[in-house]
Amino acid sequence: MTGILPTAPACPPAPAACDAAEGPLGFVVIGRNEGERLKRCLASLAGTPWPVVYVDSGSTDGSGAHARSVGAEVVELDPGLPFTAARARNAGIAHLRRIQPETVIIQFVDGDCEVLEGWLPAALRVLGADRRCGAVAGRRRERHPDGSVYNLLCDIEWNTPVGPAAACGGDALVRVAALDAVGAYDPVLIAGEDEDLCVRMRQQGWTIQRIDADMTLHDAAMTTMRQWWKRTERSGYAFARVHDRHRASAVPHFRSQVRSTLVWGGAVPALLVALTPISPLLPILGLPLYGHLSWRVARGLRRRGFVEREAWTYGVHCALAKLPQMVGYARFHLDRLRRRDSGLIEYKG
């Protein structure tokens, strides 16, 4: 998701009670044609005493067969319904609770990620110490940050502030009681399902924590601008969808991202195009405007301890990202007018 996740605002009163963190846990892995990435993911869970459920969304690369061969429980989604990550996670939750009804904690893992050694004990300590905590996330790192500038952007994006958080991503340790309180994931969301879940959890008084611990190793495998564009467009779609759903809530989400998208991806380009008939040189005024935006983002990251190269790389990306984000934003509102949902916005493959 493009854009550093904000710190969480104040929450409603916490739930009176919830399950202890010491209870049985399980793993839910989701994937679609992840190939070697899925093999590394499942290998990182080898030896766990807890069940591993792999949910496959129409893979054609033998992912399901491999998961079975290493001892995972496999759920293959019916292709007659639209595939979404939210739908896959809900199917994984249901299957895990069928085979281990006493499950109280679930570690969700995307199939292109590996769980790192030491993560679970660190995260379980947080849940055990805070009965208000519904989900814990740590540092997701990119496997090959120097493989491409797009991979580096992902690695920077994953490096969110430590402490109370507004949301977490697809990799997280989540309390089942918190999932039950909000009805788990919304299966129709094609993007932003994690943020939507976290907003609803916070509305019920649960907190989300980002701790200073390495959690997973992610393999974005992004090498082209087309992949970057599609992934960034999906971010814009998620901003619009989740913000629209929770705009009247006491804990709205993505408000600043939507405002920034509308200004820098919509209003400013429209103004520059409108100035073209007056003088073809006037649109050049946009260069210092977007340069200033990049500088502001880079300055914020430098204050958080990022090295200059990373700060400026991400700053320039944030300026360039406004156009594909605006495309995603417009795509959501067009879908809403048509009263239908888009299919998955995939950037791999």
Side-chain angles (χ1 to χ4, degrees), residues 17-340:
C18 63
D19 295 314
E22 291 77 13
L25 63 88
F27 299 87
V28 171
V29 180
I30 65 170
R32 173 180 167 85
N33 289 326
E34 292 295 351
E36 292 299 319
R37 294 182 290 269
L38 177 65
K39 292 179 181 179
R40 290 194 296 265
C41 174
L42 295 175
S44 74
L45 303 178
T48 177
W50 308 113
V52 176
V53 177
Y54 169 63
V55 184
D56 189 81
S57 296
S59 292
T60 57
D61 64 353
S63 290
H66 173 75
R68 289 188 184 92
S69 74
V70 297
E73 294 275 329
V74 176
V75 177
E76 295 182 346
L77 296 182
D78 181 355
L81 296 173
F83 294 133
T84 67
R87 178 189 168 206
R89 293 194 185 104
N90 283 350
I93 295 168
H95 189 80
L96 178 59
R97 297 182 79 175
R98 279 195 295 270
I99 63 176
Q100 184 177 261
E102 66 275 22
T103 301
V104 297
I105 301 167
I106 300 175
Q107 174 67 53
F108 293 97
V109 190
D110 287 350
D112 56 3
C113 296
E114 304 157 58
V115 177
L116 296 175
E117 185 176 356
W119 160 247
L120 279 175
L124 287 170
R125 283 194 293 270
V126 174
L127 286 184
D130 185 358
R131 294 169 65 83
R132 300 171 66 245
C133 183
V136 183
R139 175 72 160 97
R140 180 194 254 195
R141 294 188 180 275
E142 188 56 36
R143 169 175 278 275
H144 301 295
D146 295 327
S148 72
V149 66
Y150 311 112
N151 287 355
L152 176 61
L153 290 170
C154 286
D155 192 63
I156 297 169
E157 181 183 321
W158 306 144
N159 195 0
T160 58
V162 172
C168 59
D171 300 340
L173 190 70
V174 184
R175 207 184 291 268
V176 169
L179 289 169
D180 287 344
V182 299
Y185 294 87
D186 185 336
V188 305
L189 294 181
I190 68 168
E193 72 283 346
D194 309 306
E195 289 79 7
D196 172 73
L197 175 76
C198 291
V199 170
R200 289 185 287 116
M201 286 171 58
R202 291 191 290 116
Q203 288 170 348
Q204 294 296 320
W206 301 94
T207 64
I208 316 297
Q209 292 292 327
R210 157 62 159 99
I211 65 174
D212 186 15
D214 287 347
M215 176 180 61
T216 51
L217 195 62
H218 177 265
D219 189 359
M222 278 206 299
T223 59
T224 69
M225 181 172 287
R226 179 186 178 279
Q227 290 176 299
W228 169 82
W229 180 283
K230 296 302 292 184
R231 185 175 183 274
T232 310
E233 180 183 335
R234 187 178 66 182
S235 295
Y237 193 101
F239 294 162
R241 183 73 187 258
V242 177
H243 175 260
D244 184 75
R245 171 172 288 195
H246 299 289
R247 64 192 311 164
S249 166
V251 284
H253 198 59
F254 286 149
R255 178 181 290 167
S256 62
Q257 286 89 338
V258 165
R259 185 184 300 119
S260 179
T261 298
L262 290 174
V263 171
W264 294 101
V268 173
L271 176 62
L272 295 175
V273 170
L275 292 174
T276 302
I278 300 174
S279 170
L281 297 178
L282 286 178
I284 297 176
L285 293 173
L287 295 177
L289 291 175
Y290 286 97
H292 180 71
L293 173 61
S294 298
W295 174 79
R296 283 169 45 202
V297 173
R299 182 183 61 175
L301 291 179
R302 288 288 286 146
R303 288 175 175 173
R304 285 183 47 206
F306 285 79
V307 299
E308 188 168 354
R309 171 176 172 262
E310 292 178 345
W312 273 104
T313 298
Y314 200 78
V316 172
H317 153 73
C318 284
L320 296 176
K322 298 309 175 184
L323 185 55
Q325 285 173 358
M326 187 67 210
V327 172
Y329 179 91
R331 180 171 174 174
F332 162 70
H333 284 285
L334 182 60
D335 284 349
R336 190 176 67 164
L337 288 174
R338 294 173 176 175
R339 298 186 179 180
R340 67 172 179 81

Side-chain angles (χ1 to χ4, degrees), residues 4-21:
I4 303 297
L5 291 175
T7 301
C11 297
C18 63
D19 295 314

